[in-house]
Amino acid sequence: MNPDFRSWVLATVTLLVVFLILADISELEEEIGSTGGSGTIRSAAGNVHSKSNRAELILNNSSTSSTAGRSNESIKYRTKPVPYIWRHNQTLALKIRKQILHFLDAERDISVLKGTLKPGDIIHYVFDRDSTMNISKNLYELLPRTSPLKNKHFKTCAIVGNSGILLNSGCGKEIDSHDFVIRCNLAPVEEYAKDVGTKTNLVTMNPSVVQRAFEDLVNDTWKDKFLQRLKSLNESILWIPAFMAKGGEERVEWVNDLIIKHHINVHTAYPSLRLLHAVRGYWLTNKVHIKRPTTGILMYTLATRFCNRIYLYGFWPFPRDLHQNPVKYHYYDSLKYGYTSQAGPHAMPLEFKALKNLHLQGALKLNVGECEAAT
């Protein structure tokens, strides 16, 4: 091959590669730029692999004219999918568990227990220290005597968030295959079963859900809807953060009253007063400063005590996926992403970045695309 021609080919191909790389970076910046802090979010969103991730450009420099003994003097470029095979890093998972248990007692901190409080006790809210609440008779009655997860251990656990990234994922069957399934904020499951599954062993319920999803039980229709959702839990653990922030005490009382009055078959749990501080303490030692941890980070931190392998689904804090497709904030409602503005209490992109890094190291598996069994 003519040396001048070969040099021209090399220069052209090099420029093409640079162009494609810059185009890819520009695309991702545009995709997530509207969420604020694009540099941090770009780092968070990158490198999380799923079944539907894009192909990578592979440079296969198989031969040059100066290399002896090679019959082919061409440089071949080809685009092909690069499979990413996630492997569980058991050594790292055990190390993280040991570190976390320096900060919290997962069995005790998952709920305040009977005997630690009594009816009439006055306590300060975790985030509103100047405000107090009284321990009611109903709340005390529903406090567990022992941790609902005492002496429990599971091979695999699924923690299911509520992001619209779950829609059309086909992850329902995979989620239900896990030994223990944790869900967030009493999210509906039956009508989305193909994508989110139905199995529920523990579900969180922020008091604000009563207002946002069940219209504060203003009439019998909404009260019946709420009761049906509670009844569908059927022996699951209902995890209610009753002591976190002022404003939800009345709703907590409504829920407690309904559980007792209608003999709802659930195991109630109320996270301890020190849980949030313990969780923040652990993550701070890993240089992740989280003011108010979301349910995802809380549940992952707790689950390290009970689960060998932890799989996360439905955690994606960006309005578009890696292919520029719009993603709903919740898979089941029309809540907008403004809810997670910088004025809000949570730093979801920061938490996502922390979870992504653990995924890449094999400590947990973070699914942000279709599941393998999806058809």
Side-chain angles (χ1 to χ4, degrees):
M1 180 183 293
N2 185 291
D4 291 336
F5 180 75
R6 184 165 57 250
S7 297
W8 180 84
V9 170
L10 285 170
T12 302
V13 171
T14 300
L15 287 172
L16 177 61
V17 172
V18 172
F19 173 79
L20 290 173
I21 291 172
L22 291 175
D24 194 55
I25 292 173
S26 176
E27 176 185 340
L28 191 54
E29 285 180 333
E30 180 182 353
E31 172 185 318
I32 59 184
S34 63
T35 63
S38 61
T40 300
I41 301 172
R42 179 168 65 254
S43 174
N47 296 323
V48 179
H49 298 267
S50 68
K51 180 180 175 182
S52 60
N53 272 71
R54 69 183 65 196
E56 294 182 11
L57 185 68
I58 302 301
L59 172 62
N60 179 18
N61 190 349
S62 59
S63 62
T64 68
S65 60
S66 62
T67 304
R70 295 186 182 181
S71 60
N72 191 338
E73 294 186 5
S74 64
I75 297 176
K76 298 178 181 179
Y77 292 86
R78 58 195 174 92
T79 301
K80 73 173 185 178
V82 178
Y84 176 84
I85 301 175
W86 179 85
R87 289 183 175 86
H88 176 58
N89 187 335
Q90 184 175 2
T91 301
L92 179 58
L94 291 174
K95 180 181 178 181
I96 291 173
R97 176 188 296 172
K98 185 176 180 180
Q99 291 174 341
I100 287 174
L101 293 181
H102 281 304
F103 290 86
L104 60 87
D105 181 333
E107 287 191 349
R108 291 178 59 188
D109 286 335
I110 197 169
S111 182
V112 173
L113 302 178
K114 268 190 172 69
T116 57
L117 295 172
K118 62 182 184 297
D121 279 355
I122 299 174
I123 63 171
H124 290 265
Y125 287 101
V126 173
F127 292 121
D128 299 313
R129 298 298 298 167
D130 293 334
S131 300
T132 61
M133 71 171 289
N134 288 16
I135 300 300
S136 69
K137 181 179 178 181
N138 281 351
L139 195 155
Y140 180 79
E141 182 177 340
L142 292 176
L143 290 179
R145 294 188 179 280
T146 59
S147 167
L149 289 173
K150 185 176 178 61
N151 298 326
K152 301 290 186 181
H153 204 83
F154 309 99
K155 184 177 180 181
T156 68
C157 294
I159 304 175
V160 187
N162 296 331
S163 168
I165 200 76
L166 279 169
L167 291 174
N168 301 314
S169 68
C171 288
K173 185 176 180 180
E174 181 175 313
I175 289 170
D176 285 350
S177 72
H178 292 289
D179 298 322
F180 194 81
V181 178
I182 299 169
R183 299 186 184 273
C184 301
N185 264 343
L186 217 60
V189 293
E190 293 294 340
E191 54 268 57
Y192 304 96
K194 182 179 178 181
D195 295 325
V196 308
T198 59
K199 184 176 180 178
T200 303
N201 300 104
L202 184 152
V203 61
T204 72
M205 193 212 78
N206 191 298
S208 65
V209 170
V210 178
Q211 182 272 326
R212 193 171 67 244
F214 298 95
E215 296 293 330
D216 262 343
L217 313 182
V218 294
N219 54 42
D220 288 341
T221 299
W222 284 108
K223 188 176 295 185
D224 287 343
K225 287 183 179 181
F226 184 69
L227 280 171
Q228 290 306 312
R229 184 69 184 98
L230 290 180
K231 290 176 180 178
S232 71
L233 298 179
N234 193 26
E235 295 190 353
S236 300
I237 299 167
L238 179 62
W239 197 76
I240 308 173
F243 314 125
M244 296 301 114
K246 183 173 176 59
E249 59 273 17
E250 187 176 17
R251 296 182 181 107
V252 171
E253 281 303 301
W254 295 345
V255 175
N256 291 342
D257 184 64
L258 289 172
I259 291 172
I260 293 171
K261 182 178 179 180
H262 295 272
H263 307 286
I264 305 297
N265 189 18
V266 292
H267 303 284
T268 47
Y270 305 83
S272 77
L273 299 173
R274 62 179 298 275
L275 172 62
L276 271 294
H277 300 299
V279 170
R280 286 192 302 182
Y282 165 73
W283 286 98
L284 190 58
T285 63
N286 289 275
K287 297 180 171 57
V288 181
H289 182 67
I290 302 172
K291 182 180 179 182
R292 293 195 184 187
T294 62
T295 304
I297 283 284
L298 282 173
M299 288 295 104
Y300 166 72
T301 308
L302 284 170
T304 58
R305 170 62 181 84
F306 311 106
C307 308
N308 285 344
R309 301 189 183 192
I310 300 173
Y311 297 76
L312 280 79
Y313 306 82
F315 291 93
W316 182 261
F318 313 117
R320 292 187 179 275
D321 65 17
L322 287 174
H323 302 286
Q324 293 280 10
N325 300 312
V327 176
K328 295 176 65 178
Y329 181 62
H330 288 154
Y331 66 80
Y332 54 86
D333 64 20
S334 58
L335 197 63
K336 303 298 182 183
Y337 275 88
Y339 187 69
T340 59
S341 68
Q342 292 184 1
H346 301 305
M348 292 183 180
L350 177 64
E351 292 190 13
F352 180 86
K353 181 180 179 181
L355 294 173
K356 181 268 295 186
N357 288 336
L358 291 175
H359 164 87
L360 294 177
Q361 296 175 70
L364 58 84
K365 186 174 182 183
L366 179 62
N367 187 290
V368 296
E370 294 180 13
C371 286
E372 292 299 323
T375 56

